[in-house]
Amino acid sequence: MGAHVVLANAGGLKALLLFATNSPNVTPGDFSDASTSPDAVKRSHWCNVAYWEHRTRVGRLYTVYEQSVSIFYDLPQGNGFCLGQLNLENRSETVRRTRSKIGYGILLSKEPDGVWAYNRSEHPIFVNSPTLDIPNCRTLIVRKVMPGYSIKVFDYEKSCLLQHTADLDYADGPYDPNSVRISFAKGWGPCYSRQFITSCPCWLEILLSNNR
């Protein structure tokens, strides 16, 4: 693989995350809800997750304290950020179809070398972050991650080496050097009909804390 992305198959990521299951369908209790954990409030959070449908943010920011979090649609396996419970009036048919494809969604995990995302759904996800972009290249890089595969969506060491680029003019909105954007089922960018992530029916904004 290239130097800008690290992919692993499902088995490789399970070893990385010390999974003890033989199936990607995680059983109840494997993930704890950060909002209900009595110990969570004693620790600082490492990221907030925002869920968007096109240009509209739906629901509250989900604060993550645990080392990993499951972000899924409406399945009983595991706890975490359940997108199916977020209500919005007058959803378009495109959004409804895409929401139905989220399924088991993704597992987001904070590791010593960075943040990893494992695609647990049956459809691809699409990822962009500052540490996946090619340095000094103004072309947006969006990585496609197939079901059962993982990607290091944010590299801590590379982030520290990146020059300050917050003043660059990005066509699709303000630039945050500590954020990751992930869309479900639909891609965006130069290789897709959707040029901006705000054209994607369902997507996540991962806002990383500076306190790692």
Side-chain angles (χ1 to χ4, degrees):
M1 300 303 297
H4 306 293
V5 59
V6 180
L7 290 174
N9 62 24
L13 184 70
K14 288 174 185 176
L16 173 71
L17 300 180
L18 301 180
F19 271 166
T21 176
N22 294 322
S23 168
N25 300 338
V26 180
T27 55
D30 283 346
F31 303 106
S32 58
D33 190 332
S35 63
T36 59
S37 171
D39 297 327
V41 294
K42 300 177 183 179
R43 300 191 301 273
S44 60
H45 71 281
W46 64 271
C47 79
N48 286 304
V49 181
Y51 169 66
W52 296 76
E53 294 177 358
H54 294 297
R55 294 180 174 272
T56 302
R57 200 186 88 189
V58 183
R60 60 183 175 86
L61 280 177
Y62 187 89
T63 302
V64 180
Y65 299 91
E66 305 293 340
Q67 201 73 13
S68 62
V69 61
S70 181
I71 304 172
F72 56 98
Y73 180 61
D74 199 18
L75 298 173
Q77 285 80 3
N79 299 315
F81 191 8
C82 180
L83 303 180
Q85 294 180 345
L86 303 179
N87 296 319
L88 182 68
E89 294 182 359
N90 302 319
R91 281 192 170 101
S92 68
E93 184 58 30
T94 300
V95 171
R96 293 180 185 276
R97 286 198 305 267
T98 304
R99 279 169 62 85
S100 70
K101 296 178 180 180
I102 294 174
Y104 289 96
I106 65 171
L107 173 69
L108 202 64
S109 178
K110 178 187 176 186
E111 301 296 327
D113 62 341
V115 178
W116 287 76
Y118 168 40
N119 184 4
R120 301 176 64 232
S121 76
E122 297 181 354
H123 299 271
I125 60 172
F126 300 83
V127 182
N128 168 258
S129 86
T131 62
L132 290 176
D133 282 334
I134 300 174
N136 302 319
C137 178
R138 296 180 67 89
T139 301
L140 183 73
I141 304 297
V142 178
R143 306 290 185 181
K144 182 179 182 179
V145 184
M146 298 302 291
Y149 281 77
S150 66
I151 183 173
K152 189 196 296 186
V153 297
F154 195 84
D155 187 302
Y156 291 141
E157 183 177 357
K158 186 178 291 186
S159 176
C160 293
L161 296 176
L162 289 176
Q163 297 180 352
H164 297 290
T165 56
D167 56 341
L168 290 181
D169 183 19
Y170 280 77
D172 58 345
Y175 175 82
D176 186 341
N178 294 304
S179 70
V180 177
R181 297 178 293 179
I182 301 174
S183 65
F184 292 103
K186 305 294 183 181
W188 84 99
C191 298
Y192 301 92
S193 60
R194 298 169 179 81
Q195 293 299 298
F196 311 123
I197 195 169
T198 49
S199 299
C200 294
C202 304
W203 57 282
L204 302 172
E205 187 178 21
I206 315 298
L207 305 168
L208 300 172
S209 170
N210 290 327
N211 301 320
R212 298 202 301 269

